[in-house]
């Protein structure tokens, strides 16, 4: 392509709404253009990048038996109500665009397609002889983000590859899951990215085992905890670890003490001269289930630890059937206004594990008793300090099943932290990195097939629910992640495999006939050799052209400048800035060789 004929405009200044380098650079370099909040146009350079990523994804998924399809973006609400996710996605997380059509029927713009593919499988799969099946699409998805930000990282419209598999048994699912794990590693390696696969929470998708693929970058929204031996890596939402050992308690007998102005753990420990590892703190939450019921939750946890909200919400979802619901869709710390509606006055900062259920205000949609959890860190404490259910007072020397009944629900709710000891080897300490999630694979099991009646007949003639997996790659997100991982002060540094063009031939002076002739010849030869090449034939100053080439991030720049007098051209590698003069006749073979090495 000739740059003089392209819709191409670079910007000198960063866009006002861009917060992270990749977003700034993609706009400045003319790759994307903002159309509305969280909505972007993919301009010619960006579309080429997305096509290259999509092709890599397509090739690797095809290798493991994927069959490409295209599913509708518009989905009827009935399917989502069958699976039980309509309320979760519209009222709970609220991330799904939905509408009523002119016939007053509810429709949604799909953020994901589990319901659609399960309905298809329900209609078409009859026998074990048809299994396994892997179907996928590369499709635009929609997500009603509360605060769209970071360009394509958290937009309201995005391109995604989503695959779905159907199996007769767990063994078959696990084989495909492992095949997808291999495919995802291959995709990210071929895209030239540094990444880490980590254990993950399944979130609203559901299922059992799941794994995220994180592109490592400073601006990553996710924190990854991992060990140096390579044996463990997990998203902080999912991570488990061993907490620091508790210090010996300085208290030997149970007593109530006046502790004025000690509503925080730090103030309390300073006043009582004790370690937070010998404190049971009691954290109040409010949860809302998908049937509209509200429950108040009390978590007793060791004073030096923090509650992992994702783990807590997952545990509450397990309890949801007790309250006539399917899932906990919201979890929050109730503010003063919410507390006044739900509770009688509370001694905040001084709550004890046995705070009375009678403090909950009576209401038809409020569970009349606290849902009480004990985190494992609090269970083994002896002679601990905790609140006294009275402002300005704590108790010390307390013990479970003496002064306080130990909650029946004992689970791991603590948030793992860098420096914690690893479960698999306590000599290994957890380390932290920032990551951008670009892929996620799930073992769904029978969540959707049971809810939607998608069954098959096994060898014994029995009707069984289909066992499912799903596997997503954010194509547009991956493209921006590559920029976030690789750039410098002058612009983007694309990996060669996904760069819009692999080489750019730059003519410093378009009025010099010899420069133009050699550039045209190299441009033609490089493209004929299968090297995607751009020709900068604009009537601009050389400095402008060089700056633009750096900004758009093409891996190799070939300059038909003064060196042509000696039968050579200057070739500059964007990543290293290395510059060398190469014989004109050897340019094509040299670039080809370099691309092979970099792939």
């Amino acid at each position: 392509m000739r740059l003089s004929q392209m819709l191409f405009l670079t910007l000198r200044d960063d866009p006002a709404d861009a917060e992270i380098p990749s977003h700034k650079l993609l706009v400045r370099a003319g790759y994307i253009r903002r159309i509305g909040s969280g909505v972007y146009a993919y301009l010619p350079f960006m579309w080429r990048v997305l096509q290259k990523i999509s092709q890599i994804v397509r090739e690797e998924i095809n290798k493991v038996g994927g069959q490409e399809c295209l599913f509708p973006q518009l989905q009827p609400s009935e399917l989502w109500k069958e699976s039980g996710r309509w309320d979760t996605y519209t009222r709970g997380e609220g991330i799904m665009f939905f509408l009523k059509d002119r016939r007053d029927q509810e429709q949604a713009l799909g953020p994901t397609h589990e319901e659609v593919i399960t309905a298809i499988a329900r209609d078409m799969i009859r026998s074990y002889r048809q299994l396994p099946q892997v179907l996928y699409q590369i499709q635009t998805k929609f997500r009603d983000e509360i605060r769209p930000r970071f360009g394509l990282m958290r937009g309201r419209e995005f391109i995604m590859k989503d695959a779905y598999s159907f199996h007769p048994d767990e063994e078959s699912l696990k084989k495909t899951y492992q095949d997808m794990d291999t495919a995802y590693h291959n995709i990210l390696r071929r895209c030239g990215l540094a990444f880490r696969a980590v254990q993950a929470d399944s979130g609203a998708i559901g299922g059992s085992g799941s794994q995220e693929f994180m592109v490592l970058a400073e601006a990553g929204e996710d924190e990854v905890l991992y060990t140096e031996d390579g044996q463990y890596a997990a998203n902080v939402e999912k991570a488990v670890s061993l907490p620091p050992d508790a210090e010996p308690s300085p208290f030997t007998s149970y007593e109530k003490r006046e502790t004025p102005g000690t509503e925080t753990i730090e103030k309390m420990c300073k006043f009582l001269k004790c370690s937070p590892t010998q404190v049971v703190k009691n954290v109040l939450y409010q949860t809302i289930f998908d049937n509209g019921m509200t429950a108040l939750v009390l978590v007793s946890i060791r004073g030096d630890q923090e509650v992992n909200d994702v783990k807590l919400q997952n545990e509450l979802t397990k309890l949801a059937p007790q309250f006539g619901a399917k899932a906990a869709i919201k979890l929050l710390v109730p503010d003063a206004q919410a507390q006044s509606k739900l509770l009688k006055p509370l001694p905040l900062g001084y709550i004890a594990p046995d705070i009375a259920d009678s403090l909950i205000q009576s209401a038809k949609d409020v569970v009349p008793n606290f849902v009480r959890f004990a985190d494992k860190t609090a269970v083994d404490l002896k002679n601990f300090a905790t609140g006294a259910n009275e402002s300005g007072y704590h108790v010390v020397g307390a013990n479970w099943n003496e002064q306080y009944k130990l909650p029946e629900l004992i689970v791991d709710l603590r948030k793992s932290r860098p420096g914690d000891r690893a479960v698999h080897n306590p000599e290994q300490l957890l380390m932290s990195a920032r990551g951008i999630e670009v892929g996620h694979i799930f073992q769904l099991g029978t969540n959707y097939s049971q809810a939607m009646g998608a069954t098959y007949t096994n060898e014994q003639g029995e009707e069984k629910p289909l066992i499912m997996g799903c596997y997503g790659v954010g194509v547009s997100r991956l493209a921006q992640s590559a920029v976030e991982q690789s750039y410098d002060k002058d612009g983007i540094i694309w990996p060669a495999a996904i760069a819009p063009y692999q080489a750019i031939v730059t003519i410093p002076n378009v009025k010099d006939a010899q420069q133009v002739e050699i550039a045209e010849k190299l441009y033609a030869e490089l493209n004929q050799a299968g090297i995607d090449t751009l020709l900068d034939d604009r009537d601009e100053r050389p400095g402008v052209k060089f700056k633009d080439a750096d900004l758009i991030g093409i891996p190799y720049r070939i300059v038909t400048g003064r060196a042509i007098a000696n039968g050579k051209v200057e070739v500059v590698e964007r990543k290293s800035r290395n510059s060398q003069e190469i014989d004109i006749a050897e340019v094509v073979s040299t670039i080809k060789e370099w691309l092979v090495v970099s792939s």
Side-chain angles (χ1 to χ4, degrees):
M1 190 69 192
R2 297 171 184 275
L3 203 49
S4 63
Q5 296 174 4
M6 287 187 72
L7 180 64
F8 177 68
L9 175 69
T10 56
L11 304 177
R12 185 181 304 232
D13 299 318
D14 293 332
D17 65 328
E19 299 177 58
I20 60 174
S22 56
H23 184 190
K24 296 173 184 177
L25 289 169
L26 286 173
V27 175
R28 284 187 53 215
Y31 281 80
I32 60 175
R33 209 71 169 176
R34 184 179 182 273
I35 302 301
S37 176
V39 180
Y40 290 84
Y42 308 124
L43 298 176
F45 279 153
M46 193 67 195
W47 189 240
R48 287 182 67 89
V49 173
L50 294 173
Q51 285 179 315
K52 290 188 175 186
I53 294 170
S54 296
Q55 187 57 29
I56 290 171
V57 170
R58 186 174 283 116
E59 289 171 5
E60 293 299 332
I61 300 303
N62 287 348
K63 277 183 194 175
V64 296
Q67 305 165 68
E68 188 169 6
C69 312
L70 189 63
F71 306 129
Q73 294 173 327
L74 196 63
Q75 303 181 26
S77 66
E78 288 79 13
L79 292 180
W80 286 76
K81 288 174 181 176
E82 279 187 58
S83 72
R85 292 204 300 173
W86 180 259
D87 287 342
T88 302
Y89 270 73
T90 56
R91 288 171 41 200
E93 292 188 31
I95 62 171
M96 187 158 66
F97 287 103
F98 63 100
L99 60 124
K100 284 190 176 180
D101 62 23
R102 65 179 65 195
R103 293 178 298 171
D104 209 34
Q105 294 181 337
E106 291 177 312
Q107 310 281 347
L109 291 175
T112 184
H113 278 73
E114 282 80 11
E115 283 77 6
V116 168
I117 193 64
T118 305
I120 292 168
R122 177 176 61 192
D123 293 344
M124 296 185 71
I125 296 175
R126 296 280 183 266
S127 167
Y128 71 92
R129 292 186 181 91
Q130 294 172 271
L131 299 171
Q133 294 285 343
V134 179
L135 301 169
Y136 77 97
Q137 65 171 347
I138 299 174
Q139 166 78 288
T140 297
K141 301 293 183 80
F142 302 89
R143 186 179 173 100
D144 191 6
E145 292 285 355
I146 295 173
R147 188 188 167 208
R149 58 194 305 218
F150 303 151
L152 308 183
M153 294 287 196
R154 192 163 286 280
R156 305 174 87 189
E157 183 178 306
F158 53 95
I159 298 174
M160 184 175 173
K161 185 283 299 176
D162 49 323
Y164 305 90
S165 63
F166 297 90
H167 308 271
D169 52 45
E170 291 288 339
E171 184 181 349
S172 174
L173 168 61
K174 286 177 180 175
K175 181 184 182 304
T176 296
Y177 185 84
Q178 187 55 52
D179 287 345
M180 286 292 180
D181 175 80
T182 300
Y184 276 45
H185 278 80
N186 290 343
I187 288 165
L188 293 170
R189 286 193 192 104
R190 287 182 62 185
C191 288
L193 300 173
F195 67 97
R196 191 178 291 277
V198 305
Q199 294 178 21
D201 178 70
S202 296
I205 299 292
S208 55
S210 81
Q211 188 173 212
E212 288 174 338
F213 293 81
M214 298 280 194
V215 170
L216 302 178
E218 295 272 330
E221 290 185 282
D222 293 284
E223 183 180 10
V224 176
L225 297 177
Y226 65 96
T227 54
E228 202 167 15
D229 63 2
Q231 297 301 303
Y232 183 76
N235 188 308
V236 70
E237 294 176 346
K238 178 79 172 179
V240 294
S241 60
L242 301 175
D245 291 334
E247 294 181 22
S249 174
F251 311 115
T252 56
S253 59
Y254 177 76
E255 62 176 302
K256 180 178 176 181
R257 293 187 185 178
E258 186 174 5
T259 53
T262 59
E263 65 281 352
T264 68
I265 293 292
E266 184 180 3
K267 290 177 181 177
M268 169 197 174
C269 290
K270 187 174 181 181
F271 188 93
L272 292 174
K273 296 181 173 58
C274 70
S275 164
T277 65
Q278 277 301 332
V279 173
V280 171
K281 67 178 175 182
N282 304 287
V283 188
L284 181 67
Y285 286 90
Q286 173 189 355
T287 190
I288 301 171
F289 294 102
D290 56 5
N291 63 351
M293 289 295 291
T294 291
L296 290 156
V297 182
L298 193 70
V299 178
S300 296
I301 189 169
R302 205 170 81 182
D304 62 325
Q305 301 299 310
E306 299 298 325
V307 176
N308 182 322
D309 289 355
V310 173
K311 290 182 181 179
L312 177 56
Q313 188 164 344
N314 288 342
E315 293 297 329
L316 288 164
T317 290
K318 292 177 187 176
L319 299 177
Q322 297 180 20
F323 308 107
K326 292 181 179 177
I329 58 175
K330 278 188 182 175
L331 182 69
L332 51 129
V333 175
D335 58 20
Q337 184 178 4
Q339 286 179 34
S340 66
K341 289 181 180 178
L342 297 168
L343 292 156
K344 295 168 186 174
L346 276 180
L348 293 177
Y350 301 91
I351 295 175
D354 65 349
I355 190 164
D357 292 334
S358 60
L359 289 173
I360 298 175
Q361 301 274 23
S362 178
K364 67 174 183 178
D365 58 350
V366 178
V367 177
N369 52 275
F370 288 100
V371 180
R372 300 173 193 266
F373 289 97
D375 179 70
K376 291 179 180 179
T377 56
V379 171
D380 294 327
L381 294 184
K382 308 290 184 188
N383 296 319
F384 57 80
T386 192
N389 286 330
E390 183 180 348
S391 291
Y393 288 87
H394 285 88
V395 299
V396 299
N399 288 281
W400 295 113
N401 296 328
E402 292 181 16
Q403 288 77 28
Y404 301 108
K405 180 184 176 184
L406 183 65
E408 293 180 10
L409 300 170
I410 300 170
V411 288
D412 170 30
L413 293 176
R414 64 179 285 271
K415 187 175 183 178
S416 294
R417 297 188 286 220
D420 284 351
R421 295 167 296 163
V423 172
H424 75 278
N425 178 0
E427 293 182 1
Q428 290 283 319
L429 301 183
L430 295 190
M431 303 172 74
S432 176
R434 303 303 300 181
I436 300 165
E437 181 194 343
V438 296
H440 204 153
I441 61 177
F442 302 83
Q443 296 180 48
L444 293 178
T446 58
N447 283 16
Y448 295 91
S449 55
Q450 283 188 322
M452 298 180 68
T455 62
Y456 74 101
T457 303
N458 68 12
E459 290 184 69
Q460 289 74 41
E462 301 167 320
E463 195 173 15
K464 296 286 186 181
L466 290 162
I467 295 173
M468 294 175 59
C470 79
Y471 319 90
V473 169
V475 173
S476 49
R477 189 179 176 91
L478 192 155
Q480 186 171 333
S481 299
V483 179
E484 195 61 44
Q485 188 175 88
S486 189
Y487 66 91
D488 62 17
K489 63 182 178 59
D490 295 315
I492 299 166
I493 305 172
W494 286 111
I498 60 174
Y501 293 91
Q502 295 164 314
I504 179 169
V505 178
T506 302
I507 309 170
N509 181 7
V510 293
K511 294 182 174 61
D512 185 316
Q514 189 180 15
Q515 287 187 18
V516 172
E517 181 185 353
I518 292 170
E520 291 279 3
K521 180 173 180 290
L522 286 171
Y523 170 62
E525 289 177 351
L526 286 160
N527 279 303
Q528 285 169 7
I531 300 167
D532 287 336
T533 303
L534 185 65
L535 178 64
D536 190 348
D537 58 343
R538 296 174 298 163
D539 188 8
E540 290 280 2
R541 299 189 313 276
V544 171
K545 294 184 176 186
F546 298 156
K547 277 187 173 297
D548 281 347
D550 283 345
L551 180 59
I552 62 179
I554 308 302
Y556 298 102
R557 184 173 81 231
I558 301 152
V559 184
T560 58
R562 294 184 190 132
I564 62 174
N566 301 317
K568 297 177 183 289
V569 290
E570 181 191 22
V571 180
V572 181
E573 184 186 38
R574 175 68 183 89
K575 184 177 181 179
S576 67
R577 298 288 192 167
N578 290 338
S579 171
Q580 56 185 294
E581 293 185 354
I582 296 175
D583 289 340
I584 293 170
E586 295 176 4
V587 169
V588 174
S589 60
T590 301
I591 298 291
K592 214 168 186 179
E593 185 180 321
W594 289 348
L595 287 171
V596 169
V597 170
S598 68
S599 65

